[in-house]
Amino acid sequence: MSVGLEHYLVLASIIFCIGFYGALTKRNTVVILMCIELMLNAANIALVAFSKYLAKDTVLISGQIFVIFVVVVAAAEAAVGLAIIMALYRNRKTVDSDDIDLMKG
């Protein structure tokens, strides 16, 4: 049995759905940030799979280059997100998203 494009896409969609469910249902902001990272990694799997299987005869690394950009953006997003969570924890002593209502009037 060979692993085809559809296998990678099913894996990416499952990982994306797990991340999406976690981002919508969890209240801990650190867990929400981790679920967003799961969704980004699912997109990375899909990008690399499309790059490999849609251009079989040519040597295109555009999918891998997109993945590198996404990883760089995800690392920056994680750093900024963790810094915001740490600042909120210092002020509020909680990481529960229901208790964070700074924008409410």
Side-chain angles (χ1 to χ4, degrees):
M1 179 179 159
S2 66
V3 178
L5 177 63
E6 61 274 0
H7 294 100
Y8 287 108
L9 294 179
V10 167
L11 174 68
S13 64
I14 289 171
I15 292 173
F16 187 87
C17 289
I18 291 170
F20 188 70
Y21 175 78
L24 290 180
T25 59
K26 300 300 178 186
R27 293 189 295 173
N28 189 330
T29 53
V30 175
V31 175
I32 292 171
L33 188 65
M34 289 171 42
C35 290
I36 291 171
E37 294 294 327
L38 267 181
M39 290 190 285
L40 287 172
N41 285 327
N44 286 340
I45 291 171
L47 284 172
V48 171
F50 277 125
S51 175
K52 180 180 179 188
Y53 285 101
L54 293 182
K56 289 182 179 178
D57 297 334
T58 60
V59 180
L60 289 177
I61 58 169
S62 59
Q64 287 85 353
I65 292 173
F66 280 132
V67 168
I68 291 171
F69 284 129
V70 170
V71 167
V72 169
V73 170
E77 174 255 336
V80 171
L82 286 175
I84 291 171
I85 291 170
M86 286 178 58
L88 285 172
Y89 181 76
R90 285 182 184 160
N91 290 334
R92 301 283 178 132
K93 301 295 183 199
T94 183
V95 290
D96 192 2
S97 63
D98 289 337
D99 296 335
I100 301 169
D101 55 357
L102 295 175
M103 299 296 285
K104 292 182 181 175

